[in-house]
Amino acid sequence: MSEKLTSKQMSKKITDEYMEEAFHAHELGKLIGYSTAISPVELFVAHDIIPIYPENHAVANLTAKKGAELCSVVEGMGYTNHLCAYARSDLGYRATGKTVTRGIPDPDLFLACNAQCFTLTKWFQVLARKGNLPVFVFDTPEYVMDNKTREEIVKYCVLQLKELIGFLEEVTKKKFDYDRLREVMKYSAQSSILYKKFLDMAQYKPSPISIFDALIGMAIAVYRRGTPECVEYYQTLCDEIQAKVDQGIGVLPKEKEKYRLYWENLPVWFKFSDHAKLLGSYGGVILTSLYVHAWSFEFDLDKDPLLTLAENYVSRFSNSTIEDRAVMATDLFKRYSMNGMIMFMNRSCKAVSFAVPTLKDVLTKQTGIPALVFESDMGDQRFYSETQIRTRIEAYFETLDRLQLKTA
């Protein structure tokens, strides 16, 4: 009897097998479809197209501190440094071939969903023009808070999903299989429930996971949803974290966990482990963010698959109003018993960052908790001030200490 794999071992095995299949896609009679991370990839999986995410590959290079080098190459080609570091590092990789991984296979088609941002759409259009390849943009109007308008928005998105299916049929010359889509949706629904269960384990005290664990754990949700191995991975991960909870094991020991923090925005990828250690030295653990919850889908399998797909993908936090985002974040504060927040103004991700000042004001007013706001870039080290940010973090924890003494 073979020994059961840990979640870490499973993640590596799933990723290795996925990439191996992708690099041999054409030999297997399959196509490669580049996709944005938030997009109805279930349609790709159901239609036997292998989804590849240039964002994930960019993260690997940015985490390895290759951002400045790759981005500089692209700026020399005429692109502004105000563009997303994901796009700049990806284009830099394509110009130089430099990467900390084996790279990613070339695409046959593109699916861009602007529920994340508009830069992704333009980035994919640039790549599509270079290869004279087909690209489909799944347009998601902002999910405003008026219920009647939302109904019309969802109807519009369902029509687009039908157009996307027609697009896939035209590219592949193959009829779309709705029964296969229902099977894929079943796996997506199951894995989404387990992924959310994993994230919500940060409610325990001490918390057995930090946002850094969540960011590592979300990778399989991004690129393998709609598959049975995705379900198996999250079941294993939940079992492992539950075992930690049962033993009272936290990211920090219970007596040292002073501050349970909210994080706004994407992470600063090249400071990933440094931030975890620095905040931990002050008794702080970042528990969650709206970003990691972006893949906490709630698919209703009793509905038409296209309807529940449309409802979920159009309503992601990055496509919601500031008011909605505030409601989502406030809910996390209550559920996770958070007593601090760090708000990252990410120059690479303006679509998410433009709301940060207003969101900070709303959350501070509603929770009474002060916020630390800092500006930098998620992937380009040239825009990170080590001394300034460390000083501000130190000052912030001094503020929290004083507040804690006052309320004690």
Side-chain angles (χ1 to χ4, degrees):
M1 185 175 177
S2 59
E3 187 177 343
K4 183 176 171 61
L5 297 179
T6 65
S7 62
K8 185 176 180 179
Q9 290 169 332
M10 286 180 68
S11 179
K12 184 179 187 308
K13 181 173 184 289
I14 291 169
T15 303
D16 288 348
E17 290 176 351
Y18 156 63
M19 291 307 299
E20 191 65 24
E21 181 186 27
F23 275 107
H24 294 90
H26 291 174
E27 297 167 37
L28 298 169
K30 298 183 179 183
L31 297 181
I32 294 292
Y34 276 14
S35 174
T36 48
I38 295 178
S39 69
V41 73
E42 286 80 6
L43 299 185
F44 268 15
V45 178
H47 206 55
D48 221 18
I49 293 169
I50 300 175
I52 289 291
Y53 303 86
E55 292 162 81
N56 286 20
H57 179 237
V59 165
N61 284 316
L62 299 179
T63 303
K65 299 181 171 63
K66 296 295 183 183
E69 178 186 354
L70 292 173
C71 290
S72 295
V73 170
V74 178
E75 288 155 27
M77 296 161 58
Y79 290 91
T80 175
N81 64 20
H82 286 283
L83 289 177
C84 171
Y86 287 169
R88 285 183 291 141
S89 64
D90 176 75
L91 294 172
Y93 149 69
R94 293 174 196 284
T96 65
K98 293 182 178 179
T99 175
V100 297
T101 73
R102 63 190 290 193
I104 52 178
D106 292 331
D108 297 297
L109 66 150
F110 297 83
L111 168 60
C113 175
N114 58 21
Q116 282 176 256
C117 74
F118 293 99
T119 298
L120 281 160
T121 302
K122 304 311 293 184
W123 168 18
F124 277 22
Q125 286 174 341
V126 167
L127 295 180
R129 282 199 300 270
K130 286 178 182 292
N132 193 27
L133 296 168
V135 55
F136 188 95
V137 177
F138 176 44
D139 180 39
T140 52
E142 184 183 27
Y143 202 52
V144 297
M145 297 183 77
D146 177 74
N147 288 333
K148 182 63 179 174
T149 305
R150 283 186 170 181
E151 289 177 14
E152 295 304 316
I153 290 171
V154 170
K155 287 178 184 176
Y156 169 70
C157 289
V158 169
L159 287 174
Q160 283 198 73
L161 290 176
K162 290 178 179 177
E163 287 184 20
L164 172 56
I165 287 171
F167 168 80
L168 297 180
E169 289 179 329
E170 183 179 346
V171 170
T172 62
K173 309 303 179 191
K174 186 174 76 173
K175 184 75 174 170
F176 190 82
D177 186 342
Y178 280 89
D179 289 334
R180 171 66 177 140
L181 176 60
R182 289 184 179 87
E183 181 184 9
V184 168
M185 291 297 300
K186 179 184 70 175
Y187 293 131
S188 269
Q190 291 172 350
S191 62
S192 293
I193 290 168
L194 290 167
Y195 174 64
K196 187 174 185 298
K197 180 181 178 181
F198 158 64
L199 293 180
D200 281 346
M201 286 182 176
Q203 296 177 76
Y204 288 101
K205 296 180 181 180
S207 175
I209 63 169
S210 72
I211 195 172
F212 303 102
D213 300 302
L215 287 162
I216 293 169
M218 84 180 197
I220 302 299
V222 173
Y223 57 77
R224 294 311 286 153
R225 60 186 180 277
T227 66
E229 57 263 34
C230 187
V231 178
E232 185 182 1
Y233 169 75
Y234 284 110
Q235 184 61 67
T236 300
L237 185 59
C238 285
D239 291 344
E240 290 175 356
I241 304 303
Q242 186 62 53
K244 287 187 174 184
V245 171
D246 294 342
Q247 298 172 62
I249 298 172
V251 175
L252 296 178
K254 189 171 184 178
E255 66 276 8
K256 291 187 177 180
E257 186 191 84
K258 292 176 64 179
Y259 299 113
R260 297 166 61 82
L261 308 169
Y262 171 81
W263 177 274
E264 174 60 31
N265 220 301
L266 284 73
V268 182
W269 290 110
F270 55 89
K271 300 298 292 184
F272 203 73
S273 59
D274 288 354
H275 280 170
K277 292 172 186 173
L278 176 60
L279 297 171
S281 69
Y282 290 99
V285 181
I286 304 176
L287 300 183
T288 196
S289 70
L290 292 179
Y291 173 64
V292 295
H293 276 271
W295 290 270
S296 294
F297 300 108
E298 296 181 1
F299 295 119
D300 186 344
L301 298 181
D302 291 329
K303 291 183 177 180
D304 180 288
L306 299 187
L307 176 59
T308 193
L309 279 169
E311 289 173 338
N312 274 275
Y313 282 104
V314 76
S315 60
R316 297 303 88 194
F317 86 97
S318 51
N319 197 45
S320 299
T321 64
I322 294 175
E323 292 86 354
D324 257 341
R325 282 173 61 175
V327 170
M328 295 174 194
T330 303
D331 177 59
L332 292 176
F333 268 85
K334 292 174 182 175
R335 282 163 46 205
Y336 292 19
S337 304
M338 291 185 283
N339 57 3
M341 63 178 115
I342 300 177
M343 316 289 280
F344 171 30
M345 291 284 289
N346 180 3
R347 71 188 304 280
S348 256
C349 199
K350 296 171 179 64
V352 171
S353 298
F354 82 95
V356 167
T358 302
L359 195 57
K360 185 266 292 184
D361 290 342
V362 172
L363 292 177
T364 297
K365 183 177 180 180
Q366 291 185 355
T367 65
I369 298 169
L372 166 62
V373 181
F374 76 97
E375 296 184 26
S376 183
D377 190 278
M378 66 185 178
D380 193 333
Q381 311 97 293
R382 294 172 297 174
F383 300 98
Y384 187 91
S385 174
E386 184 76 42
T387 303
Q388 183 187 75
I389 291 173
R390 278 183 170 267
T391 300
R392 296 186 70 180
I393 288 174
E394 181 180 356
Y396 181 64
F397 280 109
E398 288 176 359
T399 299
L400 291 182
D401 285 341
R402 287 196 298 271
L403 188 64
Q404 198 173 72
L405 284 172
K406 192 180 294 185
T407 55

